[in-house]
Amino acid sequence: PFTDVPEGAWYYDAVKTVVEAGLMKGVSDTDFAPNGILNRAMFWTLLARAGGIDTDGGETWYYKAQAWAVENGVSDGADAMGALTREQLVTMLWRLNGEPVVNYLITTPDANQISPWALEAMKWAASTGLIEGDENGNLTPTATCTRAQAATFLVRYLTTE
């Protein structure tokens, strides 16, 4: 139902899936803002909802999700409104998945841009197909994650568990 999510867009199916599942909402009745920046609070909320947590109520719109993320070791709960990078998002999913260690070599052109603290999470995500390279083969680990990318990551995560 979103005017900014055209059929045929690379993220169409993922957005449709997360919206129909009640995990994400539009920024209005007609706009999803697929290229909008995702912040930490938004992602905590997505993960909490995917885990069956009722995120409504609390001191802030994200209070219950933030508490869930901290309690489950997904995040330290800091910088709720901070923009989330791709490697930060992947690290939260990796933690949620029990921090699996994989023997995988990332050979993308930008592999050297992965932060040391995110390397194991990125190896896991790349080895499972959770994160893929762009048209140039780059994982762009430090790039800010968009709402469309978050929807895609979450659908891939939930369907590969």
Side-chain angles (χ1 to χ4, degrees):
F2 300 112
T3 59
D4 58 354
V5 180
E7 276 192 64
W10 65 266
Y11 49 82
Y12 178 85
D13 289 336
V15 169
K16 184 175 189 251
T17 299
V18 296
V19 169
E20 287 177 351
L23 302 178
M24 286 183 89
K25 299 175 183 175
V27 296
S28 73
D29 289 341
T30 58
D31 291 326
F32 182 78
N35 296 316
I37 300 303
L38 186 79
N39 65 39
R40 295 168 67 87
M42 288 176 189
F43 198 59
W44 299 331
T45 303
L46 293 176
L47 292 179
R49 287 177 181 159
I53 304 302
D54 177 6
T55 59
D56 292 332
E59 297 170 22
T60 61
W61 63 266
Y62 56 86
Y63 178 79
K64 288 183 179 179
Q66 181 181 34
W68 175 88
V70 171
E71 181 179 309
N72 286 279
V74 172
S75 172
D76 63 5
D79 195 18
M81 293 297 113
L84 195 65
T85 65
R86 291 166 54 90
E87 66 184 4
Q88 289 170 337
L89 181 145
V90 162
T91 300
M92 287 188 201
L93 290 175
W94 176 71
R95 289 175 181 154
L96 186 60
N97 202 52
E99 300 183 10
V101 176
V102 297
N103 185 12
Y104 186 81
L105 179 63
I106 297 176
T107 59
T108 59
D110 63 347
N112 64 338
Q113 294 177 19
I114 298 171
S115 300
W117 55 263
L119 184 58
E120 290 302 318
M122 291 293 284
K123 285 180 181 179
W124 165 76
S127 73
T128 62
L130 180 68
I131 190 168
E132 299 174 352
D134 63 15
E135 63 277 359
N136 298 314
N138 292 309
L139 295 178
T140 58
T142 60
T144 302
C145 195
T146 67
R147 289 171 48 84
Q149 290 170 349
T152 302
F153 280 130
L154 191 59
V155 168
R156 286 179 186 160
Y157 177 78
L158 294 173
T159 58
T160 58
E161 279 192 294

